[in-house]
Amino acid sequence: MKKYYTFQKFPRSRIATFDTFSVGMMKHHISALLEFDVTDSRKKLQELRRNGRKISFNGWIIKVISNVIQQHPEAASYLYGKRKLIIFDGINISIAVEKEINGEKVPIPLVIEKTNEKNAREITLEIESGDELIFAKQ
């Protein structure tokens, strides 16, 4: 049976870091507030579209996030017990896709599996067809 994850141990000295984090979670906090300049990237995407390769901004950004997670897998790992991280081989990214249902716009969750094995165009196609799969199940 193939395993889809690995365990990584970390030193006992790191346990204090997790304790500090647990106390911090009881306080008001902002998980993340980031700002990026994507001007150049949007220009490149527009150039690709002009050349017949349709890649959505969402498809591109999901692939970028996937590449970063693949380079730094600990960033998307889970704490397993007090001394181990569980690191998954595949990278699944969840997004919300806005769709109109009965005249009302609602967010629909969509999980794109194994983004580390797909290119931005494949991810774009999955986003575009994923909503149809969701509605076909209803």
Side-chain angles (χ1 to χ4, degrees):
M1 186 166 122
K2 185 178 186 305
K3 286 175 65 172
Y4 297 99
Y5 57 89
T6 56
F7 287 108
Q8 179 179 325
K9 288 187 176 184
F10 51 85
R12 185 178 301 256
S13 61
R14 293 270 318 273
I15 293 174
T17 304
F18 292 113
D19 292 340
T20 303
F21 175 75
S22 296
V23 171
M25 288 299 291
M26 294 181 216
K27 304 291 182 186
H28 297 288
H29 66 280
I30 296 174
S31 297
L33 179 60
L34 306 171
E35 184 176 331
F36 300 98
D37 182 1
V38 294
T39 306
D40 292 339
S41 299
R42 290 188 69 81
K43 287 178 184 174
K44 289 177 186 175
L45 287 172
Q46 288 172 353
E47 183 64 31
L48 287 172
R49 286 185 195 121
R50 274 188 234 117
N51 293 328
R53 296 194 60 210
K54 185 178 179 224
I55 297 174
S56 70
F57 182 79
N58 284 337
W60 171 80
I61 195 82
I62 287 171
K63 185 58 187 173
V64 169
I65 292 167
S66 180
N67 288 346
V68 170
I69 292 171
Q70 195 161 20
Q71 291 173 9
H72 306 281
E74 297 83 11
S77 63
Y78 288 93
L79 187 60
Y80 186 85
K82 281 222 171 210
R83 298 275 318 272
K84 291 182 185 176
L85 294 176
I86 185 168
I87 301 172
F88 296 96
D89 297 335
I91 299 171
N92 300 341
I93 297 181
S94 175
I95 64 167
V97 180
E98 183 181 74
K99 289 296 160 189
E100 192 168 319
I101 301 176
N102 299 327
E104 185 177 344
K105 291 187 178 186
V106 294
I108 304 292
L110 177 65
V111 177
I112 302 171
E113 297 180 346
K114 299 181 181 178
T115 57
N116 53 314
E117 298 175 9
K118 298 175 182 172
N119 61 40
R121 176 67 182 139
E122 292 169 322
I123 293 169
T124 296
L125 290 172
E126 195 165 332
I127 292 169
E128 290 173 353
S129 65
D131 59 326
E132 295 162 8
L133 295 173
I134 291 167
F135 292 117
K137 293 178 184 177
Q138 292 180 350

